[in-house]
Amino acid sequence: MSHSQTLGQRLRQQSTAALLGFAALFLSLSVAISVGAVQIPLSTVWGVFANQLIPDLVEQTWSQGREAIVWEIRFPRALLAMMVGAGLAIVGASLQAVTRNSLADPHLLGISSGGAFGAILALLHTGLFIGLLTVPLMAFLGALMATAIVLGVTRFADAASADRLVLAGVAVSFIIMACANVLIFLGDPRATHTVVFWMLGGLGLAQWDQLVYPLAILVLSGAWLFTQAGSLNAMTVGDETASTLGIPVTRFRRLVFVAGALVTGVMVAFSGLIGFIGLMVPHVVRLLFGGDYQRVLPWSALLGAIFLLWADIVARTIMAPEDMPIGIVTGLTGGVFFVWILRQRAET
C-alpha cells in the first residue's frame, strides 16, 4: 500500500471517529436535557430549542412549564457540564505533558482547591464587589495563587522530579482546603449553606447570562493550548529535548500552569470542586488515539464533555427527585480509576 493510500485511509478513520464522537456528544446532550425528575420527550427538547432560535418554527404541543424546564434549567446546565468537562480534561492533559507525570491533574496539584478558596472568600467575606465577575475573578486568583505556591514549594524543597511535584501539589491542596475551612468557620452561618455547592460540586446554578464567562475562557485558553500541541509533545520527551528544539522550557511550563489555573479557576467558580476528570479522560484518550497532542487535546475536550454530561445524568437520576452532588459521582469514578492507574504503573 502506497504512502498516499495509507494517509487517505488514516484520514477516513479519523473522520469516522470524529463523526461518531460528535454523534455521541449530541446524543449525550439530548439525554441530559430529557431525563430527570420530569421526563421530557426528545421531540419536545429540540422543538423548544428550534422555537427559541426561530419563534414559531415548530408547532408548540408542550406546556409552558416544560418549556421552562428545558430552556431555563436543563439546557444551560448541560452546556455548563460540557464546558467544565472539556476544560478540566484539556488542563489535565496539558499538565501531564509539562510535568511528564500521568498522575498530574488540576485537582491533585491544588489548582482546584485554590479556585474553591477564592470562590469561598468572595461568597462569604468580600461580597460581589464587581458584580457577577467577582466569583470567577477570585476563583482564578485563588487558582493562580495555588499554582505559584506549588511551584514555590517544589523549588524550596528541591523537588524537581515529576512525582515530587505531584506530592507538593497534594500537600498544598490540603493546606489550602484547611484555610478554606477556616473561612467557612468564620463566615456567616446563614450563608455557609451556599458553600456546600463549591465543596461538593454541582451544576444546578447554571444560567444563560453567566455561560459567556466559562465559554470565553475555554475558547481562548483552549485555542492557545491547541496551538502548543507540538511543544507539549516535545515536553513529554524531556526538558533537554524540548530545549534543543528551541522551546523555553521553564517559561512554557509556567504559561501552561497559568492557562490551567485560568480555566480551572473559572470552571470551579461555576461548578464547584469536580475532581479526577483531568486525570481520567487524557488516559482514556491516549489509550484510544495515541499520545500525539494534536489528537490528545481535542479528543480530551470531546470525551471530557461527554463524561461530565453522563456524570450529571447519574447525579440527577440516582436519587431523583433529589440531585446528588456531581463531585461525588466523579470522585467515586475517579478514585477507582486512580487505583487502576497505580496498578498499571506497578506492573510496568
Side-chain angles (χ1 to χ4, degrees):
M1 184 179 293
S2 67
H3 176 71
S4 60
Q5 289 176 323
T6 304
L7 181 60
Q9 183 179 7
R10 187 178 303 148
L11 288 175
R12 285 192 297 271
Q13 291 174 345
Q14 292 176 358
S15 300
T16 302
L19 288 174
L20 291 175
F22 281 109
L25 180 64
F26 178 78
L27 175 63
S28 303
L29 176 64
S30 301
V31 174
I33 300 171
S34 175
V35 303
V38 177
Q39 300 288 333
I40 297 176
L42 292 179
S43 59
T44 300
V45 169
W46 293 109
V48 170
F49 176 75
N51 280 352
Q52 290 292 332
L53 291 182
I54 305 175
D56 300 323
L57 178 64
V58 177
E59 180 183 358
Q60 183 168 338
T61 58
W62 53 85
S63 66
Q64 290 295 325
R66 290 201 166 195
E67 179 168 342
I69 290 173
V70 169
W71 188 250
E72 300 297 336
I73 299 176
R74 292 187 184 172
F75 232 113
R77 178 174 181 145
L79 293 177
L80 180 61
M82 291 168 56
M83 294 179 202
V84 173
L88 295 180
I90 62 173
V91 169
S94 302
L95 292 177
Q96 288 166 16
V98 297
T99 62
R100 297 191 306 283
N101 191 320
S102 59
L103 301 181
D105 165 83
H107 194 65
L108 291 178
L109 290 179
I111 300 175
S112 295
S113 300
F117 177 88
I120 292 169
L121 182 63
L123 287 169
L124 294 182
H125 295 280
T126 66
L128 304 181
F129 54 88
I130 56 172
L132 294 176
L133 284 175
T134 306
V135 175
L137 177 62
M138 293 291 285
F140 165 63
L141 293 176
L144 194 62
M145 172 197 70
T147 301
I149 293 174
V150 171
L151 294 176
V153 167
T154 56
R155 184 174 301 177
F156 172 77
D158 195 22
S161 70
D163 289 338
R164 292 189 176 185
L165 179 63
V166 173
L167 291 176
V170 171
V172 170
S173 178
F174 276 113
I175 294 171
I176 292 176
M177 287 310 301
C179 295
N181 289 332
V182 171
L183 292 180
I184 297 172
F185 178 75
L186 297 177
D188 186 349
R190 294 170 298 179
T192 54
H193 69 279
T194 60
V195 175
V196 174
F197 170 74
W198 308 105
M199 304 298 287
L200 298 180
L203 304 166
L205 300 182
Q207 299 177 17
W208 279 110
D209 58 352
Q210 296 180 2
L211 292 183
V212 63
Y213 304 118
L215 177 61
I217 294 302
L218 177 61
V219 169
L220 293 175
S221 299
W224 181 78
L225 288 171
F226 289 157
T227 63
Q228 304 302 313
S231 298
L232 291 171
N233 282 331
M235 292 292 288
T236 60
V237 180
D239 289 0
E240 293 184 1
T241 302
S243 296
T244 59
L245 294 175
I247 299 172
V249 172
T250 302
R251 178 174 175 271
F252 179 69
R253 181 178 287 116
R254 288 175 180 170
L255 286 174
V256 171
F257 267 83
V258 170
L262 178 59
V263 174
T264 304
V266 173
M267 298 308 168
V268 165
F270 289 97
S271 68
L273 285 175
I274 299 178
F276 290 111
I277 292 178
L279 175 67
M280 291 185 293
V281 174
H283 276 279
V284 175
V285 169
R286 282 191 285 267
L287 286 173
L288 295 175
F289 304 104
D292 185 353
Y293 269 75
Q294 290 185 347
R295 293 193 298 270
V296 169
L297 288 177
W299 276 107
S300 292
L302 182 60
L303 294 188
I306 293 173
F307 172 78
L308 198 57
L309 279 172
W310 282 101
D312 187 46
I313 291 170
V314 172
R316 287 189 290 114
T317 56
I318 195 170
M319 295 178 61
E322 297 293 330
D323 281 5
M324 176 186 287
I326 195 171
I328 295 177
V329 178
T330 60
L332 288 172
T333 309
V336 173
F337 192 83
F338 192 82
V339 172
W340 179 79
I341 290 177
L342 292 177
R343 176 65 179 173
Q344 294 297 110
R345 287 165 66 93
E347 292 177 352
T348 56

